[in-house]
Amino acid sequence: MSPEDLTGFIYKSHAAALQLAQIPTRERDSLLLELAEAIKKHKNAILEANTLDLEASRDMAVPELVLEWLKLTPERLNHALECLRQLSGLPDPLTLHVGINGYQRIPLGVVAFVYEGFPQLSLIAAGMCLKVGNTIILKGGNEGTYTQEAIAAIAKDVLLSRGFPEACMTSVPKGVALKELIVQEKYLRLVIPYGRPSFVQQVSKQATVSALPIAMGNCYLYLSASGNLEFAKEIILNSRKGEPDAVNAIEKVVVHQSWLDRGLGEWIVRLKKQGLVVRGCSGTTTYFRQFLEESHSDETDKPSQALIDKAIEHEDVWGQSYLDETIAIKVVQDTEEAIAWINQYSSGHADVLLTDSLSERDRFVSRINSSTIFVNAHSRFSRCAKVGENGNVKIALGMSSLKTRGASRYPGMIDIYALTTTKQVLTSSWPL
């Protein structure tokens, strides 16, 4: 496809966005329900297409992590359909605040969702965009071609049958490189990259349109002197149960040095028994080796040397996501050192503090540069969850370290409000 043809392709999405924004909310909500029913009806065809993708991807030597993300199980597909149904029932985010001076929340326009694996996320992303009046262009990796085409074909039939513009939801034609898409500044308003950190960083750097990167993993937990070891273990394990992508996985733990004399060794052993691979700073590794030698002086009772993991030698590892069963532990002298370390290396989208001190909580919360901070609370991420006592439903595509994007009700959360912008309404008090 020539550059001119690609621009024309995106223009159709732009024109469709202008029409979509004028369609009443109830009709867009009804579209989401019908799309969910159509996907449910043709579920077997989508799963068969996904099987073809999995078989072809193994021949292409696609990484195991991406293969796991690509796998579309009935449960994963059903979860996406539930998100579409819940989206249809959410309040209309496009509001007008009137007065002499006011503002109106409006759609962004054309959004591109580029991703590795995760075919079900294309449905959730499309549902969120259609809910607020955006059109969406999908660009998955080569590993998911058949699945994306199957979903796009079903969506096309639903759109046309309801009288919506076909370009409301499209997939990028074959032969169009990712780097060609993300520089289409004339009509494309936002690109959302999702996948491995290297992929997200590459897209964010190359894009000349606004990018909203979704973060995954590399979240930090600080276990202060007044925290609780058992609760820390629960939070770490719970944070990794997000399926199939543990967005808020605790991969790094910063521990106050007082825990060296209060059970840290046994705690690490318990983490390992849960299947985690524990790494650490030189201080953590030295301490743990001494702990093993002292607690298992009888050679017959001495645990396997596999329990002693290699120390982290390069500091830049502390700023990278593992996206596997690895966890790293850093021992610090005090809260000030913990704050400085987390601010330097955390991904910045979700960090956790365990403390019984109000002053420590206030100091940590005010100084940690993260979009979301959990204090004595589980950090597990869910795309479709109830929040608050009144049972309100929150639908989110993912989390980002960007705290000022759009008008999200949950800072750092990529929800439907984050996919809107505002238009000022300025009225003169004088006659024209």
Side-chain angles (χ1 to χ4, degrees):
M1 178 178 283
S2 67
E4 293 77 15
D5 290 339
L6 179 57
T7 300
F9 170 79
I10 299 175
Y11 172 76
K12 291 180 181 179
S13 293
H14 168 70
L18 296 178
Q19 297 181 53
L20 185 62
Q22 302 304 315
I23 295 177
T25 302
R26 62 180 180 276
E27 292 186 28
R28 297 200 302 270
D29 290 340
S30 178
L31 174 67
L32 297 183
L33 292 175
E34 189 163 334
L35 178 59
E37 286 303 309
I39 295 294
K40 179 181 178 181
K41 179 180 178 181
H42 298 285
K43 179 166 60 177
N44 290 338
I46 296 173
L47 295 176
E48 289 173 5
N50 186 249
T51 299
L52 293 176
D53 279 328
L54 290 170
E55 293 173 351
S57 295
R58 292 187 179 95
D59 295 335
M60 292 189 294
V62 174
E64 287 296 323
L65 178 64
V66 178
L67 279 177
E68 177 58 29
W69 289 346
L70 175 62
K71 188 186 303 178
L72 187 59
T73 64
E75 292 75 20
R76 292 177 179 180
L77 186 55
N78 288 337
H79 178 73
L81 299 185
E82 180 59 25
C83 286
L84 290 178
R85 299 185 188 102
Q86 294 289 352
L87 277 168
S88 70
L90 294 181
D92 181 12
L94 304 180
T95 55
L96 175 63
H97 295 262
V98 295
I100 293 180
N101 294 315
Y103 70 90
Q104 183 177 10
R105 183 175 287 129
I106 60 174
L108 292 172
V110 185
V111 175
F113 181 55
V114 298
Y115 58 101
E116 294 182 305
F118 302 116
Q120 70 276 22
L121 290 196
S122 66
L123 276 171
I124 298 175
M128 293 175 64
C129 284
L130 294 173
K131 172 73 179 182
V132 300
N134 294 323
T135 56
I136 186 169
I137 297 175
L138 301 172
K139 173 61 175 172
N142 293 331
E143 71 279 353
T145 300
Y146 292 114
T147 312
Q148 180 173 285
E149 288 180 348
I151 291 174
I154 295 169
K156 176 182 176 181
D157 289 343
V158 173
L159 288 167
L160 292 178
S161 68
R162 292 295 305 271
F164 281 74
E166 177 185 342
C168 285
M169 177 181 172
T170 53
S171 57
V172 175
K174 291 181 179 179
V176 176
L178 175 60
K179 62 182 179 181
E180 297 175 42
L181 172 66
I182 59 181
V183 295
Q184 294 290 321
E185 302 174 52
K186 189 170 185 180
Y187 299 116
L188 185 60
R189 293 293 173 259
L190 178 70
V191 58
I192 304 176
Y194 197 33
R196 290 170 293 178
S198 58
F199 172 78
V200 173
Q201 291 167 9
Q202 176 188 355
V203 174
S204 299
K205 289 179 180 179
Q206 293 182 349
T208 58
V209 300
S210 296
L212 182 55
I214 300 181
M216 191 190 317
N218 198 41
C219 300
Y220 272 72
L221 180 150
Y222 174 47
L223 178 60
S224 74
S226 63
N228 183 284
L229 276 175
E230 188 59 30
F231 190 36
K233 180 171 74 72
E234 288 182 21
I235 286 181
I236 291 169
L237 297 177
N238 188 284
S239 72
R240 293 165 168 266
K241 292 180 180 178
E243 215 283 332
D245 48 336
V247 174
N248 289 355
I250 301 297
E251 297 187 334
K252 312 294 193 314
V253 181
V254 178
V255 180
H256 190 275
Q257 63 180 351
S258 64
W259 290 105
L260 297 176
D261 301 321
R262 295 191 289 151
L264 183 64
E266 289 291 349
W267 184 72
I268 292 176
V269 170
R270 291 199 299 272
L271 286 179
K272 286 173 164 292
K273 288 181 178 179
Q274 294 291 331
L276 296 182
V277 176
V278 180
R279 301 187 66 190
C281 62
S282 57
T284 303
T285 307
T286 300
Y287 158 79
F288 190 56
R289 285 174 178 164
Q290 293 176 346
F291 165 77
L292 290 177
E293 292 173 359
E294 295 173 0
S295 60
H296 299 85
S297 57
D298 183 353
E299 195 67 27
T300 60
D301 188 39
K302 198 167 185 176
S304 166
Q305 289 300 306
L307 281 175
I308 303 176
D309 296 321
K310 184 179 179 182
I312 294 178
E313 298 174 352
H314 303 287
E315 282 203 359
D316 57 357
V317 174
W318 292 98
Q320 299 172 0
S321 298
Y322 287 125
L323 303 183
D324 57 19
E325 297 306 312
T326 304
I327 191 167
I329 299 176
K330 166 73 176 176
V331 176
V332 295
Q333 294 183 354
D334 52 32
T335 301
E336 296 301 312
E337 184 181 355
I339 291 173
W341 189 269
I342 293 173
N343 278 339
Q344 182 172 359
Y345 294 111
S346 169
S347 62
H349 72 276
D351 294 307
V352 180
L353 167 67
L354 298 187
T355 182
D356 273 345
S357 168
L358 292 177
S359 61
E360 186 175 48
R361 180 203 65 182
D362 294 342
R363 187 162 73 256
F364 187 92
V365 168
S366 65
R367 294 181 56 188
I368 285 293
N369 186 29
S370 179
S371 61
T372 306
I373 301 173
F374 299 84
V375 180
N376 298 329
H378 290 287
S379 61
R380 182 175 173 180
F381 174 81
S382 176
R383 288 194 165 82
C384 180
K386 291 184 177 181
V387 294
E389 296 180 356
N390 56 5
N392 288 335
V393 175
K394 169 183 64 62
I395 307 293
L397 185 60
M399 295 191 69
S400 176
S401 60
L402 302 181
K403 297 178 283 296
T404 58
R405 173 73 224 172
S408 175
R409 287 190 170 184
Y410 307 95
M413 196 78 70
I414 302 177
D415 58 8
I416 57 176
Y417 293 89
L419 300 180
T420 66
T421 187
T422 54
K423 176 171 62 178
Q424 281 191 312
V425 180
L426 303 178
T427 305
S428 171
S429 59
W430 295 92
L432 296 179

